[in-house]
Amino acid sequence: MRDTKSTLIYILKRLCLMIVTFVIIFTICFFLIRLLPLKFSPGPGDSEYIFYEIQVALGRYTKGSNGEYYQTPLLQQFFTFVKNLFAPASYPNGDGTYTQVSRFGYAWSSAIGYMVSPVEVLFNRMPPTIFINVYSIIISTPIGLLLGIYMALRKNKWQDHALSIFVMLLISVPGFVYAFFLQYLLGYANGGILPPTLEDRNEYGWFSPEMLSSMVLPVIAMSLGSIAGFARYTRAELTEVLTSDFMLLARTKGLTRAQATVRHAFRNSLVPIFPMILGQIISVLSGSVVIEQIFAVGGVGSLFLDSINNSDYDVFQFVGMFYVVIGLVGGLVVDISYGLVDPRIRMGGGKQ
Amino acid sequence: MSEMNKNEALLPVENEKEMFEFANADKTLHDTKFETKPISYLHDCLRRFAKNKASVVAGIIILLIVLFAIFEPLVDPKSYVTGSDYVNGYRDSNFKNATPYNPLFKGTGFWDGTAVISNMKENTYNIRKLTDLENPNRPYIVELLEVNEEGGIFNKQKNYVVRVDTYAVGNLTEIISTSEYEKLLEYNEAQPDDQKVLKPLVDVNTYLEKARAKLEAEGVDASAISQLIDGTSGMKQYYQDNPSIYFEIYPVKGSNGRYTTTYEAVLDNSRKPINIYMTDENGDYIYAMKQNADYEVRVDYIEYYKFKNGFDPVFLFGCNSQGQDICLRLALGCRFSLLLGIGITIINFIIGLIWGAISGYYGGTADLIMERITDILSNVPSIIIMTIVQIQLNNNLALNQALGAVGCIVVAFLIAFVYNGWVGVSSTTRMQFYRFKGQEYVLASRTLGARDSRLIFKHILPNAAGTLVTSCVLMVPSVIFSESNLSYLGIIDFSTSNIVSLGAMLNDGQGKLSTYPHILLFPAIVISLLMISFNLFGNGLRDAFNTSLRGSED
């Protein structure tokens, strides 16, 4: 009972700290992105008027007495932004009626869209990222764990050495390098076995064979790194557990090597590995900028890059904060999960 | 140990001298000397590092890359070519996308500057085959590999799979100054017959009039003629696009009996092309034509290149899409990456060390606040910092002029990598301080009245040195990795400066991956080698510095 209470207090404390951190990062990012010059892009049709009126409503421009627009000071922009979050502003249509502006502002660039709210943009870009990440986790976790177990059981034999070199290569070589090699060898060379870039999502369904086959390359490219990470970590943990005394006890009690390994060693070595898997699952929502760029995925990662390159303030703010929240929540969940998996670890325990 | 204790016990006690008698008064006793040599900590580390073969090999590879980065540009004659065209480094657009070429492998089909073109049209093949007659030393078409037939009965097309020499640029028209022309004449005179630079000029205009007359005589209507001669894919343009063509060409009739804009050579009775060289009144070929103060000449480009630059066009790793030598750029890119990696590591190391030492040593509220600050800093994405610094520097004219294009990029990198790059070092240092500050020997020293600075610098830091040095070495590849990542994504605009970055080279190559993979291959290999060897080297160092592993590996 006391333990639950202290856990709750710890979580609450962490949450409060998290909120403070978030607010500060939010403020810093706000000012940083607005130091970039706003790019005027009129968008389709006669929307110059709407563009400027929306900027006024969002607080980025102020309308002068002669109808000219000039930039609002940054601090004032910040207050308007915060105010808009709670009470969405509206802009005049010119005929006396008003249209409400999205709470989080609007995307306004050719790469992202015109007059689309960042929430909509993010949800629109989410599916390819999620699909690729989920497939990659489904593939990489079991393979990585199995490889790690195999290496630990064959420690210091040739299989272990060979796999260790392979794992070391995968960890050291930058992800984009093997992404390129995969893309060239499987996508381009000799006519290509697989599509080198992701198929158009408007043309094919998410589960159509064309789409699935075009996802193979990015999924492999994403998986290789985490397979190597899992394998190395599992090997290190398992070799440590395998040499401990309780394993000897288990063997003396008459368990076979396989039984002892699966029931005692592997379960114990999962303690530090499980949070790692959990961290992966949380990061499903955020995409790898580089891999998405190489395979033309058009997911969340490339949205982040697009928003910076086009100084699309609102999209950057929203997507950036989305990343930050995932990072912060992920860290918290991983920390808490340590306590859940292994009761010996007490969160927020004293300094002793 | 026990021997020493005995010796100590035998030492005389001063104030009770009289009460004791020396048992061995006539002898002086010494500690027995060690027969082995004493090993210092560093010596021990070095010995254990040398045992780790992989790390030693990695160290050698790093050394080789460093030597390559330092000496390649010094030795390479291409880096000394100057001129208004080469502001951002040496380039020759005639050799764009040239494949890797090593003279030792000439004619082997591997590393010999050839490429396989799989969809060459029959006409192109025939014409290129004929233009090669003028450059028998370096023919463009090296080998015919396969002929594929495409299409139905009526529009049958032949597709040639050909191995071509990407260095066989052929003959081009160049405009050169009078002084250079005189030098060229002299040079040309000294060359053996089969390596002459100058080729006879081609008189395209006279031939085009002849062709026009011929078409008119055949009754082709006027609009079709003007299209065939002057149109966007007409003969005039065709001659301009293919300056190597020195013979008469004529349109081919399509299946409907009309002339199309594909051309073939006009052959004489002995099946040889009819040349259209410019001749003077005596019927001799004209090799140069004066244009104001300059001369127009037609040159065999490879020979002309040797005359112009003084060295052969040999690109060991090929050229990129702008005709820049990849080997030279790799060396420059390694230079930049290594300098940036090491420079930023040193800065981050110093900041992180101080920050982590304070935060770890004093703990408590100071630690809590400092930890929150690092938390916040590490969460602000460096992509945005980079973009903003770059744009601000470019917009600020005074700063821009003071720093120059190179300075702007370097400063942008410095700020983007330093502002939160030291967080890793600081947290490692902090952990080390937490580990050591509570230990008995520190407590003892504190009890004896040692000041904080003494505890930090004399007692804790030396113990943490191994871990810290390792994290420092491992930071170099991570900086190189992030740099290449950012420049690959195109966040940094390198086009305004002559800085070469491995990441930007990858970016160059990505668009050409399907056709010219070598542009991407070499930077990818070098960056992988750098990362692998730095990681192995760092891991070796970590094991070497970790004295607790001593003896466990044997």
Side-chain angles (χ1 to χ4, degrees), chain A residues 25 32 35 172 176 290 294, chain B residues 379 388 392 485 488 506 535:
Chain A
I25 295 171
L32 281 180
L35 284 173
S172 307
F176 52 78
V290 174
I294 292 174
Chain B
N379 263 307
I388 287 161
Q392 295 298 329
N485 231 337
Y488 163 70
L506 290 172
N535 279 332

Side-chain angles (χ1 to χ4, degrees), chain B residues 64 150 161 204 269 373 490 554:
Chain B
L64 288 179
E150 259 180 19
V161 182
V204 174
N269 295 334
I373 294 176
D554 303 316

Side-chain angles (χ1 to χ4, degrees), chain B residues 8-22:
Chain B
E8 273 167 33
L10 287 173
L11 288 174
V13 182
E14 222 166 323
N15 50 353
E16 290 167 332
K17 242 179 198 172
E18 311 83 42
M19 295 168 69
F20 295 94
E21 215 176 292
F22 288 116

Side-chain angles (χ1 to χ4, degrees), chain A residues 246-264:
Chain A
F246 70 84
M247 279 300 288
L248 197 64
L249 179 70
R251 291 300 299 279
T252 352
K253 282 197 308 186
L255 266 69
T256 62
R257 192 163 180 234
Q259 283 172 326
T261 310
V262 174
R263 291 187 202 162
H264 294 272

Side-chain angles (χ1 to χ4, degrees), chain B residues 308-329:
Chain B
K308 193 170 66 171
N309 297 316
F311 51 86
D312 283 354
V314 171
F315 306 107
L316 277 183
F317 296 157
C319 285
N320 67 7
S321 52
Q322 289 160 30
Q324 291 165 312
D325 182 18
I326 290 178
C327 184
L328 178 62
R329 279 170 71 78

Side-chain angles (χ1 to χ4, degrees), chain A residues 14 31 38 45 74 83 130-131 176 179 205 218 241 247 342 351:
Chain A
R14 281 290 301 262
F31 286 110
L38 177 69
L74 275 184
K83 203 182 81 196
I130 292 183
F131 278 116
F176 52 78
V241 177
M247 279 300 288
D342 187 353
K351 288 177 187 71

